Amino acid sequence: MKTAEIMANLAAKHPGENEYLQAVQEVLESIEEVYNQHPEFEKAKIVERMVEPDRIFTFRVTWVDDKGQVQTNLGYRIQFNSAIGPYKGGLRFHKAVVPSMLKFLGFEQTFKNALTTLPMGGAKGGSDFDPVGKSNDEIMRFCQAFMTELWQCIGPDQDIPAGDVGVGGREIGYLYGMYKKLAREYNTGVLTGKGATWGGSILRPEATGFGALYFTQHLLHKAGKDIAGKKVALSGFGNVAWGAATKAKELGAKVVAISGPDGVCEIPEGITDEMIAYMLEMRASNRNKVEDMATKFPGKAKFTAGKKAWSIPCDIALPCAFQNELSEDDAKELQKNGCWCCCEVSNMGCQPGAIHYFQNNGILFAPGKAVNAGGVATSGLEMTQNASHISWSAKEVDEKLHFIMESIHEQCVKYGTQPDGHIDYVKGANIAGFMKVATAMLEQGII
Ligand code: 2IT
């Protein structure tokens, strides 16, 4: 495989799509050696086919705001790869959404879903709609307008969206309501992350964060360590950060920082249950300000404007917010302040320079597509429950999630253990996911 040549071709076809190119580059670097041992992959041009989405839907979404003004946004669904199952992946509502962002996410999703042990292909979608400052009614009208186009692209056996940044249980509810009206289909399996009373899986809201902590525990145990008593700094305060904070606290860690676009809240005594519950209210308010935590809990949470969670001394850093949120300089600052482990919970949360810095300086590091796969895995469990018209208990779902995260960790160890014995989790996750998708593509012929 000629990585440089493939990257140059891709860059020429998708000029300026830096996030997409960054995600592809990381995977190709990891798999090059294994790929070269399989001439049948080269002959079938597996990599050249895998880096391009199967298809992209783009549509206009027009809705009316609370002032009666007409608003227009763009909507997308990118069906990336269906080699191992129907298209599956979240919807992101964020003002910075552009095709490059959704292509990177769809590409990552393909490998992540392959790691979950479940038969799901990769997809991503969303809109440049900005939920910040919107009322509940505006969110509903936007979701309904978005679905008037999206419904044609999806189906319980074709493509199953879920939430991502800016899309949680509330949005999935409005989206499903409109899907039902348009499609006259009452199969709840068309979306995951639904409400508990209408087909949603118990533990799906918590699953990304819980799964991330289960993975972190496996990684730490493998390195002869444990999370109990350790200081954890995490970024964000949305659904993923909430689940991660809940489980970290339950496992005996002290969550000493959460952050938002406005700055960081340092919590020297560790986050409390009340604060964790308040994270949900902060998300629902659409204010997007972590400062609200300090206002609500004066003396316990100390807000500093313009600073990241990575400025707070910790043992373990958990990026839980957005891509490229942790730079090489942040990685250096973390290490200086005593951090020795970073598990990426957000998709591509660390910049390439940060990953290389961690890896070259003995800091344990694992990539998002392994660490955060518990979210989509539990979406897969939700699909299974919907298809068989049953609901599992929290215990059943949690056991399955545990099993899946352990299996993902094992796959990373299997494919990522280096000749000197240390485990390269980036390589491990990328090679394991790639081998599964590539084998499926090969067996299905040139399509
Ligand atoms: O990035 C992700 O894995 C998600 N946003 C969840 C996708 C899903 O289909 O549950």
Side-chain angles (χ1 to χ4, degrees):
M1 179 171 70
K2 298 180 184 70
T3 301
E5 199 179 305
I6 294 175
M7 288 310 302
N9 282 337
L10 204 65
K13 276 194 214 170
H14 306 273
E17 300 207 339
N18 295 334
E19 287 154 340
Y20 174 38
L21 298 170
Q22 178 188 336
V24 173
Q25 171 87 34
E26 184 206 285
V27 170
L28 296 196
E29 273 173 17
S30 294
I31 62 162
E32 189 161 5
E33 206 181 306
V34 171
Y35 191 80
N36 289 337
Q37 292 158 10
H38 290 270
E40 70 278 19
F41 289 162
E42 176 75 44
K43 186 158 176 279
K45 292 276 182 283
I46 294 289
V47 160
E48 287 83 344
R49 289 157 60 198
M50 201 183 259
V51 298
E52 291 287 355
D54 286 356
R55 62 189 70 80
I56 303 181
F57 299 102
T58 307
F59 43 89
R60 173 176 54 76
V61 184
T62 295
W63 55 286
V64 180
D65 69 17
D66 285 349
K67 297 194 196 90
Q69 309 244 328
V70 175
Q71 300 286 347
T72 290
N73 290 101
L74 288 176
Y76 308 91
R77 185 68 180 167
I78 301 194
Q79 297 181 335
F80 217 100
N81 188 296
S82 63
I84 65 170
Y87 300 106
K88 180 82 194 91
L91 298 170
R92 177 173 289 194
F93 292 170
H94 189 279
K95 61 178 191 295
V97 163
V98 286
S100 170
M101 195 193 291
L102 299 179
K103 280 189 220 168
F104 117 63
L105 289 163
F107 182 74
E108 291 278 297
Q109 197 80 43
T110 302
F111 297 92
K112 181 197 314 194
N113 293 4
L115 292 173
T116 63
T117 74
L118 304 173
M120 300 182 290
K124 206 80 192 190
S127 173
D128 60 359
F129 171 74
D130 181 6
V132 178
K134 299 294 187 295
S135 71
N136 196 49
D137 287 345
E138 287 176 322
I139 300 271
M140 180 175 77
R141 286 197 295 275
F142 176 78
C143 288
Q144 292 174 337
F146 183 80
M147 188 52 87
T148 60
E149 286 289 332
L150 183 72
W151 78 278
Q152 307 248 26
C153 316
I154 62 176
D157 297 313
Q158 285 84 40
D159 182 352
I160 305 94
D164 192 81
V165 175
V167 178
R170 165 181 53 187
E171 290 76 15
I172 293 292
Y174 297 146
L175 289 165
Y176 182 69
M178 194 49 137
Y179 173 83
K180 254 188 344 185
K181 267 189 98 65
L182 294 164
R184 296 201 180 179
E185 294 276 356
Y186 305 93
N187 187 336
T188 55
V190 67
L191 292 167
T192 61
K194 298 179 289 292
T197 57
W198 47 282
S201 176
I202 288 188
L203 281 189
R204 176 63 189 90
E206 293 86 349
T208 310
F210 280 22
L213 268 294
Y214 297 158
F215 188 96
T216 304
Q217 274 289 55
H218 284 296
L219 175 140
L220 294 180
H221 289 166
K222 188 84 190 160
K225 299 176 189 293
D226 192 84
I227 199 169
K230 304 297 183 304
K231 281 193 241 160
V232 172
L234 56 83
S235 59
F237 57 85
N239 169 263
V240 173
W242 165 76
T246 305
K247 189 53 82 175
K249 179 168 182 291
E250 204 182 300
L251 295 174
K254 204 175 183 187
V255 177
V256 293
I258 62 170
S259 68
D262 51 335
V264 63
C265 269
E266 183 174 5
I267 312 166
E269 296 310 311
I271 205 163
T272 62
D273 291 339
E274 295 71 39
M275 291 167 134
I276 292 174
Y278 191 63
M279 287 166 92
L280 294 178
E281 282 182 51
M282 286 160 62
R283 150 82 175 90
S285 77
N286 286 341
R287 282 171 46 81
N288 211 18
K289 287 198 188 321
V290 80
E291 186 175 5
D292 292 356
M293 184 64 87
T295 311
K296 177 85 179 169
F297 297 94
K300 285 188 175 170
K302 187 175 145 271
F303 175 70
T304 310
K307 284 277 186 191
K308 294 188 189 178
W310 322 133
S311 61
I312 307 295
C314 66
D315 298 292
I316 299 167
L318 300 178
C320 295
F322 216 57
Q323 69 268 11
N324 291 326
E325 56 173 310
L326 199 158
S327 68
E328 185 171 345
D329 284 346
D330 295 328
K332 288 180 184 162
E333 187 170 7
L334 277 167
Q335 191 193 30
K336 199 180 78 206
N337 289 333
C339 172
W340 45 267
C341 174
C342 173
C343 283
E344 193 183 56
V345 192
S346 43
N347 292 308
M348 207 165 80
C350 295
Q351 296 179 15
I355 298 177
H356 294 143
Y357 187 82
F358 287 141
Q359 291 180 326
N360 295 334
N361 288 277
I363 295 171
L364 294 167
F365 176 77
K369 58 170 81 66
V371 178
N372 75 27
V376 72
T378 307
S379 277
L381 301 177
E382 183 168 325
M383 288 163 64
T384 305
Q385 293 169 77
N386 296 156
S388 39
H389 306 282
I390 50 166
S391 307
W392 292 327
S393 65
K395 186 169 169 284
E396 282 172 289
V397 177
D398 200 34
E399 275 171 14
K400 289 181 167 63
L401 177 59
H402 264 288
F403 169 82
I404 289 170
M405 297 317 296
E406 186 179 356
S407 154
I408 295 172
H409 184 261
E410 277 169 11
Q411 294 174 65
C412 291
V413 172
K414 178 175 169 195
Y415 288 102
T417 303
Q418 301 302 297
D420 68 359
H422 98 275
I423 303 161
D424 183 334
Y425 282 88
V426 176
K427 263 195 172 172
N430 285 332
I431 296 174
F434 169 79
M435 287 304 287
K436 186 167 176 184
V437 178
T439 307
M441 287 176 69
L442 199 65
E443 289 175 6
Q444 290 169 29
I446 308 297
I447 50 167

